[in-house]
Amino acid sequence: MSDRTASPPTLGFLTVQQEPAGWAGYFLVTNAWGRPLEFRMSSAVQPNRVQTALYGPTLLDYLHADVIGKALVEKTALKPDLIVTDTPPALALRSRVDVPVVALRPDAAVLPAETRTLTHPRSSLALLLPAAFATDEPEVLARLDAVDPSVDLAEPFARIREAVTEARKLGVSGRVA
Amino acid sequence: MSRDDQPVVEELRESLVEQPADAGRSPGADVSVDVLPFPRFDRPLDASVREARLLTDSPWVRSVGQLTLSVTTEGWKFPAPPPEYTPPPRLPSEPAVGRHAVALPTLPDDPNAPPKARIRPKPTADTVLFKDRLLLLLQPPLDGLFDGRSLSVPFEPFPYQLEGIAFLMPRHAALLADEMGLGKTAQAILALRLLFHQGQIRQALLICPKPLMHNWGRELKMWAPDLPFETFEGDADQRRTTWLVSNCPLKLINYETLTRDADLAADPRVYFDAVVLDEAQRIKNRESKTAQTVCSIRRGRSWAISGTPIENSHEDLVNLFAFIDPSRIPPDCPPKHLPRYTADCILRRTKDLVQSDMPPKIYRDLEVDLTPAQRQAYSLAEEEGVIHLNELGETISVQHVFQLVMRLKQICNFDPLTGESAKLEQLVTDMEEVAASGRKAIVFSQWVEPLEILAKALEPFGPLQYHGRIPQGERTPILDRFKADADKHVLLMSYGTGSVGLNLQFTNYVFLFDRWWNPAIEDQAINRSHRIGQRHPVTVTRFTGLDTIEQRIATLLDAKRKVFLDLMAAADKPTTMGLTEDEIFGLFDLKARPKRGAA
C-alpha cells in the first residue's frame, strides 16, 4: 500500500440501503475538508430465494462488499485513502480493496462479530475496524489526524441521504440499470 | 441383411460351431445349431444422445439462473477545488485561527446540548441539472466551516449570516437587501470565498463606491485572507492590464473607474464568473452610464448588495434587476406583481428579525424651540419666500420651493446674523454627558458648513471631521484615530460621505443635526453605529426646529418610511418614497402651482 498519509487524505463514504427495488449503494468521495469531489450510485439489486438460500448468512456481506461496495469503489475515478461506511456488513469490502475501511458503530448493543472498536475526534460515533485487518489501525488514525478538524465522519451520510431523496424525486436512481 | 454384414455373420457362425462341449451343452449331446441372423444387429449400434439428456431436462431439473449478483453504477465528478485554496488541515491541537479566539467545542458534542441546525445551500428552482443540484446537496454544512477550525475568520458568522451565504451561493441572480449593519459585506465575501474554494468560480469582480474601496479591502483581508485581490489603479494602460491580462481571481473596482473603463468592461475578452455590486442602488437609473457599463460586463453570476434597493419608487427595483436578471421581470409589470417575479432572488432581514439580542436603537426626537434671533430670521425668510414663490405664478417649479426649504433649514441650524443655534446648545449639553461617560458620538448634517462651525463649538470634545472636503487619503486615518483616541468623542460627518459602508459600532450616540430628505439615507447614517458588533444601546437624537419646515418634512417622511418596508414585504403599496411634487408644494401655503407639462 502506498504511503499517502502525509498529504490530506481523500475520504470515501459508502452507504448501502434497502429500497423497494432492492439493495442500492451510494458512494461519496470528499477531500479532507469534507467537500464533495465525486458521487456514484449503484442500481438496486434484489437477491432471489435461491441466492438467499445459497449465500445464507453471508448474503449481506456479499451484497454490501462484493456486489455493491466493490463495484462503486472500482468505478469511481478518485481513489479514497480511507473508506467510511455506516453499514457494518460493508466492512467485508476491506478484503476486496486495498484501502482501509471503517464503519460507524451502530447504536445496537450487540456489536458485529470480528470487529475492533476505536475512537477518534473526527467521529462523533465510535468506529469499527475489521479484526482481520487490525494492522490498519495506525494508518487509519494517521489519516484521520490529517482530516480537517471540522469534519465529523457521521455527517456526510446526512448529505448522501438528501442526495438520494433528490435522485428519487427526479427519477435518476431508477435510470441506473 | 446387407452385403456388408455377411462377413460378420459368417464369423459368428464359425465361432459357435467351434464352441467347446463344456461351453453350454451337455456332454455327449449332438445338437446341431442353426445360426440365424440376429435382427438386433441388423443396424449398427448408435448412441442415443436423447437418453443422455434426460437428466438435465425439465421437469427433472430446473435452471436456477445466475448465482452471482451484479450492479451497474452511475457517477458524477465535481469541480476540484484549486490547490491554492486547500491548505493542509490544521492539527487538532492548533489554536483557533482568526483575530479573535473562538471557544472550540470538542467532539463528540455534548449529548445534552440541543442539536445545532445545519445550514446548507439548497438548490434553487432555477437549478435544473441534477449534477448541479447534487453539488449543492453534497456540500458540507456551512455552520461547521466557520467555527474557527476550518477557515480563518475574525469571528464565527451569526446563523442568519450563514443563511445569507447559503442564499447567495446557489444563485446566479441575487439581491441581498439586509438592513444596514447586518454584515452584508461579510456574507458576500464568504459566499465568494466558498465558491472559489469549491472551484465553481475562478474570476470575480467587486464593484463599490469609491469611498468604500478601502473598507472593502480591509473586509476582504479579514474575511478571506486566502483570497488574493487586486484593485484597478494607475493610468489607462495599467488598468487595461488589470482588465485583460491579470489572472488575479478577485478584482475590486469603484463605480467611477468602471465608468471610465466602460469600453474595457464591455470587451468580449473580459468575463467574470461573478460580479458583485455593492450599494447597488447606484444603478437605479437604468439610463445612466454607470448602470449601462455595469450591465455590459459579461458574467456568470450577478449579485447586488443594497440595504436600500428602493429609495424612491418601485422602478428602482426594476432597474436593479436589469443587472441582476434582465429577463426576470416582464415589461410593464405592475408594482403589485413585482414580488411574484423577484421574491426568489431577494433576501432581506432586519435587525429586529435576526438579532433579538442586539442592543436596542432608541430614537429621541428633539423638537427644539429656535432662539429668538433664529425665530425672527426664520419667520422673515418664510414670509418673504412664500410671497416670492406666489409671485412666480405658473413659472414656479419644485426647484424654487427647494431653495426656500434649504434656506429655512439652514436658519433652523444657525441664525445667519448672530450664529445662535438652539440645536447647538442642546448638542453641547448632550455631548458633555457623552464625554463624561467615556463614549463616542457621530453628528450628521446635510451641509459641510454647519459641521465646520460645530467643530469649533465642540472643541472640548475632540471633534474630528469626515466629509467631502476631507481628502480621500486622509479619511481612513481619521476614522482610525477616532476609534483609538479616547479623547476624541465626536465625529462630524456629512450624510453624503459618511452614510454608507463604514463600521462605527464603537459609537453609541448618533445626532442628526438636520434631517435628510430620504429616510433611507438617514437609516444608513444611523446604522454606521447600530450594526453587528454593537454591544450597547444606540441613542439616535433627531433634531427638528419646533413649528418649522423641518417639523413638516419630518411628519411627511415618517409616513413615507413605511412604504419601503411594505414593498419589501411584498405588499401592494404606493410606488414612491420621496416627496411627491404635490407634497413639496404642500409644505407651504402656496397658491401658485406650476403649469402642468411645463414644469
Side-chain angles (χ1 to χ4, degrees):
Chain A
M1 195 179 298
S2 62
D3 180 17
R4 290 174 291 185
T5 53
S7 57
T10 305
L11 302 173
F13 295 89
L14 171 69
T15 185
V16 180
Q17 299 179 0
Q18 189 164 26
E19 299 174 357
W23 293 88
Y26 303 91
F27 191 51
L28 169 67
V29 180
T30 74
N31 64 8
W33 290 32
R35 301 211 171 104
L37 301 175
E38 190 169 351
F39 182 68
R40 187 162 283 274
M41 60 173 66
S42 80
S43 57
V45 59
Q46 182 68 61
N48 57 33
R49 282 199 297 180
V50 174
Q51 288 161 334
T52 304
L54 281 175
Y55 285 97
T58 67
L59 178 68
L60 273 187
D61 286 2
Y62 172 70
L63 272 174
H64 282 68
D66 286 88
V67 179
I68 297 173
K70 189 164 179 278
L72 286 171
V73 173
E74 286 180 348
K75 293 282 184 184
T76 303
L78 293 166
K79 296 304 165 205
D81 297 303
L82 175 68
I83 295 173
V84 185
T85 179
D86 63 348
T87 45
L91 279 174
L93 176 65
R94 177 63 186 93
S95 58
R96 278 76 165 176
V97 295
D98 190 20
V99 181
V101 181
V102 292
L104 300 176
R105 180 177 160 166
D107 291 336
V110 181
L111 286 179
E114 298 174 354
T115 57
R116 295 180 52 149
T117 302
L118 58 125
T119 59
H120 193 278
R122 300 293 175 280
S123 179
S124 55
L125 298 173
L127 299 171
L128 298 175
L129 192 69
F133 291 90
T135 51
D136 283 348
E137 182 169 342
E139 193 178 342
V140 168
L141 295 178
R143 287 180 181 175
L144 288 179
D145 283 345
V147 171
D148 190 82
S150 68
V151 171
D152 175 8
L153 295 185
E155 183 277 324
F157 293 101
R159 294 188 237 164
I160 295 175
R161 283 191 286 276
E162 278 199 48
V164 171
T165 305
E166 184 78 4
R168 284 187 195 142
K169 203 163 65 182
L170 298 180
V172 177
S173 53
R175 83 181 185 209
V176 184
Chain B
M1 189 179 302
S2 67
R3 231 175 288 137
D4 293 341
D5 295 335
Q6 194 62 38
V8 177
V9 172
E10 287 298 326
E11 197 176 335
L12 267 174
R13 184 180 291 146
E14 285 171 12
S15 68
L16 285 173
V17 169
E18 290 169 4
Q19 285 274 350
D22 57 354
R25 290 172 291 171
S26 303
D30 186 10
V31 178
S32 63
V33 177
D34 288 333
V35 177
L36 298 174
F38 187 30
R40 287 183 65 186
F41 290 92
D42 286 354
R43 294 174 184 275
L45 289 173
D46 190 12
S48 169
V49 291
R50 189 167 174 226
E51 289 183 5
R53 274 205 309 251
L54 274 176
L55 291 177
T56 61
D57 274 359
S58 178
W60 309 110
V61 174
R62 284 184 298 167
S63 169
V64 293
Q66 197 175 356
L67 294 179
T68 56
L69 295 161
S70 64
V71 291
T72 56
T73 69
E74 184 175 1
W76 297 266
K77 279 190 80 172
F78 305 117
E84 60 265 35
Y85 302 127
T86 52
R90 295 171 185 82
L91 294 173
S93 57
E94 200 170 324
V97 294
R99 296 186 179 188
H100 308 286
V102 176
L104 299 181
T106 51
L107 289 173
D109 292 336
D110 177 8
N112 300 321
K116 282 171 69 178
R118 311 315 304 256
I119 300 170
R120 285 199 185 89
K122 298 274 185 192
T124 64
D126 297 340
T127 314
V128 177
L129 294 178
F130 178 64
K131 182 180 176 180
D132 295 339
R133 298 181 75 84
L134 261 188
L135 180 58
L136 290 166
L137 290 168
L138 292 173
Q139 290 299 326
L142 296 176
D143 47 287
L145 291 178
F146 300 113
D147 61 2
R149 293 179 293 183
S150 292
L151 296 173
S152 170
V153 284
F155 52 86
E156 187 176 354
F158 293 96
Y160 76 86
Q161 290 180 315
L162 295 177
E163 284 164 7
I165 296 165
F167 163 81
L168 285 173
M169 285 182 66
R171 282 175 171 76
H172 284 66
L175 168 59
L176 184 60
D178 285 348
E179 190 181 6
M180 286 74 69
L182 289 183
K184 294 187 290 294
T185 304
Q187 293 175 61
I189 291 174
L190 288 175
L192 282 178
R193 187 183 181 188
L194 289 178
L195 289 176
F196 272 112
H197 283 198
Q198 290 171 10
Q200 291 202 58
I201 61 172
R202 294 179 186 278
Q203 290 275 318
L205 178 69
L206 272 167
I207 307 171
C208 70
K210 193 173 181 181
L212 298 185
M213 289 285 283
H214 177 82
N215 194 54
W216 266 96
R218 197 178 60 228
E219 296 276 326
L220 280 167
K221 285 176 192 161
M222 194 189 302
W223 291 103
D226 53 354
L227 196 58
F229 70 93
E230 175 179 25
T231 54
F232 288 75
E233 287 172 347
D235 58 22
D237 283 344
Q238 281 176 289
R239 296 200 306 274
R240 184 182 179 80
T241 304
T242 308
W243 278 108
L244 299 176
V245 181
S246 165
N247 280 330
C248 189
L250 183 59
K251 293 172 185 172
L252 182 58
I253 193 169
N254 61 58
Y255 285 100
E256 291 77 8
T257 306
L258 176 72
T259 310
R260 209 179 308 148
D261 290 349
D263 291 346
L264 285 165
D267 191 300
R269 288 170 290 175
V270 173
Y271 177 82
F272 294 97
D273 297 308
V275 172
V276 182
L277 285 194
D278 185 29
E279 304 295 347
Q281 68 272 17
R282 288 282 293 262
I283 62 162
K284 66 183 179 186
N285 178 3
R286 189 195 294 241
E287 304 305 321
S288 70
K289 189 174 181 189
T290 304
Q292 292 185 350
T293 306
V294 165
C295 292
S296 72
I297 302 171
R298 294 172 63 241
R299 59 199 184 271
R301 286 174 159 79
S302 308
W303 294 351
I305 305 172
S306 174
T308 50
I310 304 164
E311 282 186 333
N312 293 304
S313 77
H314 76 282
E315 277 299 320
D316 295 348
L317 190 65
V318 174
N319 291 340
L320 272 185
F321 268 83
F323 162 75
I324 297 167
D325 186 353
S327 59
R328 188 163 286 268
I329 302 175
D332 304 321
C333 176
K336 66 180 180 182
H337 291 158
L338 274 179
R340 182 198 304 170
Y341 296 107
T342 60
D344 186 55
C345 297
I346 300 178
L347 181 64
R348 177 172 172 83
R349 281 82 55 89
T350 60
K351 293 197 187 84
D352 298 339
L353 197 67
V354 301
Q355 281 259 297
S356 57
D357 56 342
M358 193 160 170
K361 180 166 55 182
I362 303 157
Y363 282 99
R364 180 168 162 250
D365 285 316
L366 270 186
E367 295 176 339
V368 295
D369 204 352
L370 302 185
T371 66
Q374 277 181 293
R375 177 62 67 190
Q376 189 178 0
Y378 181 91
S379 301
L380 186 63
E382 184 171 33
E383 198 174 312
E384 288 178 352
V386 170
I387 292 169
H388 172 66
L389 291 176
N390 278 324
E391 284 173 355
L392 290 171
E394 288 186 349
T395 63
I396 192 173
S397 69
V398 170
Q399 282 69 33
H400 292 122
V401 184
F402 267 134
Q403 284 171 5
L404 177 59
V405 171
M406 299 293 240
R407 174 75 184 137
L408 295 177
K409 284 182 73 176
Q410 286 167 343
I411 295 173
C412 288
N413 283 352
F414 295 97
D415 174 52
L417 288 177
T418 63
E420 286 181 10
S421 170
K423 292 181 184 177
L424 177 58
E425 288 172 16
Q426 181 63 46
L427 180 62
V428 170
T429 307
D430 287 351
M431 274 310 302
E432 284 169 355
E433 190 182 327
V434 171
S437 62
R439 300 200 182 276
K440 293 176 188 283
I442 318 171
V443 178
F444 280 98
S445 174
Q446 188 175 352
W447 298 281
V448 173
E449 288 78 9
L451 295 176
E452 290 175 334
I453 297 171
L454 288 176
K456 289 176 189 164
L458 299 175
E459 197 58 45
F461 310 110
L464 291 169
Q465 297 184 55
Y466 188 101
H467 48 66
R469 287 187 194 162
I470 305 294
Q472 191 77 37
E474 294 176 18
R475 292 182 188 177
T476 303
I478 287 174
L479 296 182
D480 292 341
R481 193 172 164 207
F482 180 51
K483 184 176 183 180
D485 191 338
D487 293 329
K488 301 297 178 190
H489 289 287
V490 60
L491 185 67
L492 306 168
M493 303 187 97
S494 62
Y495 284 106
T497 310
S499 65
V500 292
L502 301 174
N503 298 321
L504 302 173
Q505 54 270 64
F506 52 90
T507 59
N508 299 113
Y509 293 88
V510 177
F511 295 94
L512 305 186
F513 197 70
D514 44 56
R515 307 288 302 273
W516 190 258
W517 294 102
N518 192 325
I521 301 295
E522 284 190 349
D523 287 344
Q524 282 193 332
I526 293 163
N527 284 303
R528 297 311 99 211
S529 172
H530 191 254
R531 60 198 298 115
I532 294 304
Q534 180 58 266
R535 296 179 182 176
H536 304 283
V538 173
T539 303
V540 181
T541 303
R542 297 187 288 201
F543 286 109
T544 48
L546 190 64
D547 294 329
T548 66
I549 188 70
E550 287 189 325
Q551 208 172 26
R552 275 173 263 166
I553 293 173
T555 306
L556 276 174
L557 290 184
D558 283 345
K560 290 286 177 182
R561 191 183 297 265
K562 189 172 177 293
V563 175
F564 171 84
L565 302 172
D566 287 342
L567 191 55
M568 291 308 290
D572 177 13
K573 291 291 173 183
T575 58
T576 58
M577 266 190 73
L579 299 184
T580 64
E581 192 178 270
D582 283 343
E583 286 164 342
I584 292 167
F585 283 108
L587 291 170
F588 301 100
D589 184 20
L590 295 176
K591 295 185 177 70
R593 280 289 190 274
K595 190 177 180 181
R596 292 294 167 192

